[in-house]
Amino acid sequence: MQPEKKNDLIKASVQYAAVFLIIMLLSVAGEILVFNTTALFHSYEPVECTLETNRMSVETVDSLAQLSGEEQKAILVEQENKRLLAEYNGVEYVEELDESLVEQDGSLYRKVKETKIQIELDDSYYINKLKVEIPLEKNGGFSAGVYEQGQLSPLDYYCSINPKLDAGVVNIGGKKTNGVVISLLTEEEPDLSALKITISNDFALNGVRISFFAVCFLTIYMIFAGGKSLWGLMKKRPEWFFAVFALLFGGLLIEGIGTNQVSYDEYSHAKSAYKLSFGSTIETTEAAMQMVGNTLPYFNNPEERALVESYEDRMNDPDVIPPDIGHQSRFPRAETRVYYPMAAGFYLGRVLHTGFADMVALAKLGNLLCYIFIVFWAIKKARGYGMVVAGIGLLPNSIFIASALSYDALVTSCLLLGYVLLLNEILTPDEKMKPGNVLLMLLSFVIGCLSKPVYIIMALMALFLPRSKFHNRLMGVVFKVSVTVVAGLMLYNIFFPTPVAGGDYQLVSNLAFSGDRRSVGTSTMGQISYILENPLTYTGVLLSEMFGMLFGYILKGVPYVGYAYLGTAPFAVNWILIILGVFAALYAPVRKKIGGIFEGLSHLMNFGVAAIVFTSMYISFTAVGNDRILGVQGRYFIPLFLPFLSCLFGKKGIDRLKGAGIFREKLQQTPGLYERIIFGVIGAVNLFMTWKLVILGVNV
Amino acid sequence: MLDNLKKMIYKYAYLILPICTLLCLAGFIGSYLFPNEVLDTYEVNMKEEEGDEEFVWPLTGAEDEIGYVMETDGRALKGFQIGISKNGAALTGTELIYRVYGLPDEGESMEAVIEKLNAGIETDGLEMLLEKSYDLGTCLDGQYPYLPFDEEGVCKGRLYITFTYQNNGNDEGVLPGIYANHHKVERAASYREGEIVTEMMGGEEAPVMIKHYYIYSHDTYPLLYDCRVLTFVFLAASMTVCYPKMKKKKEGMPDAA
């Protein structure tokens, strides 16, 4: 190596090491200043209260607790499923209500014991955490309030107590108080002799929060202070920056969410991925059994997380509870293979003997890495519009599902890659198609559609490629027929699947009984018959639902950007991302427009796919004859963003606006400005959501 | 190296892609003709009713058999899973011996057969369909190991399955046992030394039932879907290759682009 180059390399290494060190120091400082200020100045030995310490007065009375809407719906769904099963088995169904429930004014209530606890402290304390420990057989919970300057605050601090943990911890937020009031609700008579309440304000550095600050500072550095060489690289190789940002944002989610199952039907994906990580004999530990049954305890703060993870490790130990043995085919079905990235993580976790939570994190990481790898290639292959693809790839919804147990990440990423390759062909009408690209394109579409075949319609855009793309007319015809057959076969499999494996073989194979078991009144055949008998009524329902959802997201304030059940970003974020998408497409360095015909076809294809998505949910998830379509989520349309935005490529009409042309010039002249705007805005949105929903939600 | 490989693939794409198309077509036909057998696990008696608790039914000796009468659902039973208690011991070398007998089918209902067998069941005179053993040292305490039957599928119809053990010199002095409860299973009954055992539960006499799963099987076509889709994917890709003949033709044309 030349001495000059060696010196430059040393200089750059020292510079980046210094940046890393400064970022780490700032992150720790942020953690102390934001989360540990009161503990820094007002820390004390935790105060423990039991009946023996005589610090609290306790009284238990009978009470009723109203069930949440979700709990009431779950009971209805369970009853409906029992009724269906009875009908299938040809036995009479008798509706029964749990003895612990009472129906009043159309609502369900649970009979509970309310224990009122009053704690008087000798002195004023800054309370950060309030921990209630009591052995329970069934779920319980408590609400707490504190005395501030002699006044009792409302009992606003709520915490559930999972009988698997026998404890619950709530964050009081460092309030100064000399008394606490707790209302403890339990289904059974509580054993008050074992009741223990701990008040604390410990100084505790938290790895998740420090990592969050570090990612924030690193992002700020890359966008605002990276320098010409870094920004030049960002312009030249945006796929690498996408990979770094996706790994950072996704890694934060994996680390911050832990084993809380907050993604869409995560337990069901966990089941498939966990099973796939074995050969023909599956050994399901008790912890895994609870994961796939969605009965693992949740945590809301780091203290509860420690309790949950310790419980999971105990339940994952085969010497404590022997694993359950099941069987499966050595050859997994096509739809199941989409879980390989996650299954690899589960397998690795088992081989490395990690804790249960770490094994789940590895499974999620497998999904994230696979997602990053595919989108990386989509950006790399995109001819001039890589940043549009990067923006779609970094959407909070996309990063969230890629960092969870879900096959949707593979759907989004493969469809992105497939459509990028197709779009390249559309943008170059005079170039012959290359067999490698075509094979990769079709394989991407097929893999992306394994679990959601309706998107295969997107591949049908290839039918409109001009004659000039092929070596002769016959080859063009055979190509187009083959693509049509591929799409047809994938759609055919929805209605006539190859036999499934497992104990639910007969029920699932029976179309008369099929329908989504999470929703009441569904029947695939029943709904299809209804649509065929009432085509006009259904068309009305379909159009009103489709346009209702569209206007909801762009005009009526319905939030779109979200982390599933953790929550959504404010409505303004919808528009920030719409503007960002339009900006990315209009200013993408694409020389050619896709052309009027393909513009029209893209919109038609988007409309068609959206209509099929709505219809599939009407058939599988909605009760027969309903005038609404249930279960359609905005994230289902992420794969359609690229076809939509591609219609804006190369349109320079906006430059006629005052200053717009100068802005385009500025974008071209300033190193990496176009890329930094996109990465910066999308990074800020991701970090804002992670802060709000993950850090403040479950890590404080 | 990767570039060289890429170049070679591109060079021979005119051969590779059509061959892949044919291979997928062959795979599609083969997959259809030779299905894959998959084991299905059916939970039969694994949960206790309210007021009931699981307990261990110990195997006390080679002569002391725990038995189970059942009727298959028309398919051959491929195996059984029962809960093994080792009372904390390793029981290496100790074998669980299980035998399957065919019960005569004289056209009466299974309920009537069980009613008839309430008086007791003798294995003498019954046709033994199979006898196998399972090393108890290989399963965990409290686990439900898979006890495979035969591959040919002779265990079909009305069956009497017995379990006993052989310690094979293991001197840990601990008896293995089978998990049981008092749940009623339709058209099935559990026996101890050929007799139905009842115990008091909630003021009523309830028969003891071993906790278990049935293992059946069915055929799947795991590569059928892939092969039929991939056949057309490769065919489509084959249609974008510039085949040597076409190349020659183009080269021969002076005005070719």
Side-chain angles (χ1 to χ4, degrees), chain A residues 365-598:
Chain A
L365 186 63
N367 199 26
L368 179 65
L369 290 177
C370 174
Y371 174 79
I372 291 173
F373 180 76
I374 298 169
V375 179
F376 175 95
W377 279 100
I379 299 168
K380 198 175 164 63
K381 289 272 176 189
R383 292 186 173 184
Y385 53 93
M387 281 311 296
V388 178
V389 182
I392 296 170
L394 281 174
L395 278 176
N397 305 55
S398 305
I399 292 292
F400 180 74
I401 52 172
S403 314
L405 297 174
S406 164
Y407 57 46
D408 290 308
L410 198 69
V411 176
T412 310
S413 56
C414 282
L415 290 178
L416 262 181
L417 178 57
Y419 203 81
V420 161
L421 293 166
L422 180 55
L423 202 51
N424 287 347
E425 301 298 343
I426 294 170
L427 288 166
T428 53
D430 301 325
E431 283 179 28
K432 294 274 180 282
M433 293 172 91
K434 285 185 182 160
N437 284 345
V438 171
L439 188 62
L440 186 59
M441 173 183 87
L442 290 177
L443 285 177
S444 300
F445 276 122
V446 167
I447 296 170
C449 297
L450 279 176
S451 46
K452 291 198 170 162
V454 291
Y455 293 113
I456 197 67
I457 304 292
M458 292 172 74
L460 293 182
M461 288 288 281
L463 301 186
F464 302 98
L465 289 170
R467 155 81 180 82
S468 53
K469 300 291 298 179
F470 302 95
H471 294 289
N472 62 42
R473 186 180 297 275
L474 179 68
M475 289 172 94
V477 170
V478 178
F479 170 85
K480 289 173 184 179
V481 169
S482 302
V483 172
T484 311
V485 174
V486 168
L489 285 173
M490 296 197 79
L491 293 173
Y492 171 82
N493 201 59
I494 299 174
F495 300 102
F496 302 100
T498 46
V500 295
D504 53 357
Y505 169 61
Q506 285 164 356
L507 197 62
V508 176
S509 306
N510 190 336
L511 267 183
F513 281 87
S514 66
D516 202 304
R517 294 279 77 89
R518 294 165 296 177
S519 193
V520 177
T522 59
S523 162
T524 300
M525 287 313 284
Q527 195 71 291
I528 291 173
S529 306
Y530 174 79
I531 294 172
L532 293 176
E533 284 162 18
N534 306 280
L536 285 178
T537 312
Y538 176 66
T539 307
V541 171
L542 177 68
L543 293 176
S544 104
E545 285 290 321
M546 285 173 71
F547 287 102
M549 180 176 263
L550 180 66
F551 292 136
Y553 285 138
I554 59 173
L555 296 174
K556 290 186 186 164
V558 180
Y560 177 82
V561 184
Y563 281 176
Y565 303 108
L566 267 183
T568 45
F571 174 63
V573 175
N574 292 13
W575 271 102
I576 291 174
L577 293 181
I578 291 170
I579 293 167
L580 186 73
V582 172
F583 160 77
L586 283 176
Y587 290 95
V590 182
R591 286 180 195 158
K592 272 197 161 184
K593 294 179 188 175
I594 66 164
I597 296 171
F598 275 104

Side-chain angles (χ1 to χ4, degrees), chain A residues 283 318 322-331 334 337 432-436 438-439 442-443 446 450 470-472 475 478-479 482-483 485-486 489-490 492-493 498-503 505-506, chain B residues 10 13 17 36 38-42 73 75 81 140-146 213 215 218-226 228-230 232-243 246 250:
Chain A
E283 289 189 34
D324 186 65
I325 293 176
H327 303 95
Q328 66 182 357
S329 169
R330 279 188 303 278
F331 301 104
R337 275 176 230 145
K432 294 274 180 282
M433 293 172 91
K434 285 185 182 160
V438 171
L439 188 62
L442 290 177
L443 285 177
V446 167
L450 279 176
F470 302 95
H471 294 289
N472 62 42
M475 289 172 94
V478 178
F479 170 85
S482 302
V483 172
V485 174
V486 168
L489 285 173
M490 296 197 79
Y492 171 82
N493 201 59
T498 46
V500 295
Y505 169 61
Q506 285 164 356
Chain B
Y10 271 113
L17 289 172
N36 177 45
V38 183
L39 295 178
D40 292 333
T41 310
Y42 288 83
D73 68 356
R75 291 181 288 168
Q81 277 181 226
L140 293 168
D141 198 356
Q143 203 161 29
Y144 284 73
Y146 167 46
Y213 298 90
I215 310 293
H218 75 265
D219 286 342
T220 61
Y221 305 87
L223 298 175
L224 190 74
Y225 178 80
D226 307 67
R228 74 183 178 194
V229 169
L230 287 179
F232 291 96
V233 166
F234 280 111
L235 182 61
S238 306
M239 291 302 113
T240 55
V241 176
C242 186
Y243 289 93
M246 291 161 64
K250 273 185 186 174

Side-chain angles (χ1 to χ4, degrees), chain A residues 662-673:
Chain A
I662 300 166
F663 180 60
R664 189 182 287 276
E665 268 176 40
K666 176 121 179 133
L667 272 181
Q668 282 163 356
Q669 286 163 6
T670 316
L673 182 58

Side-chain angles (χ1 to χ4, degrees), chain A residues 613-692:
Chain A
V613 167
F614 272 91
T615 304
S616 68
M617 294 313 283
Y618 191 63
I619 289 172
S620 67
F621 197 80
T622 310
V624 176
N626 201 331
D627 60 357
R628 299 290 316 273
I629 299 178
L630 306 180
V632 181
Q633 294 165 16
R635 68 191 172 100
Y636 296 160
F637 306 106
I638 292 176
L640 306 181
F641 289 175
L642 182 60
F644 175 77
L645 292 174
S646 69
C647 299
L648 302 175
F649 291 167
K651 289 199 171 168
K652 295 193 175 159
I654 194 170
D655 289 357
R656 285 187 220 124
L657 295 174
K658 199 181 171 187
I662 300 166
F663 180 60
R664 189 182 287 276
E665 268 176 40
K666 176 121 179 133
L667 272 181
Q668 282 163 356
Q669 286 163 6
T670 316
L673 182 58
Y674 169 73
E675 288 77 13
R676 280 189 286 147
I677 289 173
I678 295 169
F679 280 134
V681 172
I682 204 112
V685 170
N686 269 290
L687 289 170
F688 161 74
M689 293 191 62
T690 304
W691 167 256
K692 199 175 156 216

Side-chain angles (χ1 to χ4, degrees), chain B residues 100-104 123-130 154 159-160:
Chain B
V100 183
Y101 299 91
L103 290 172
T123 52
D124 298 340
L126 293 180
E127 181 195 0
M128 189 159 78
L129 302 175
L130 72 83
V154 294
L159 306 174
Y160 178 51

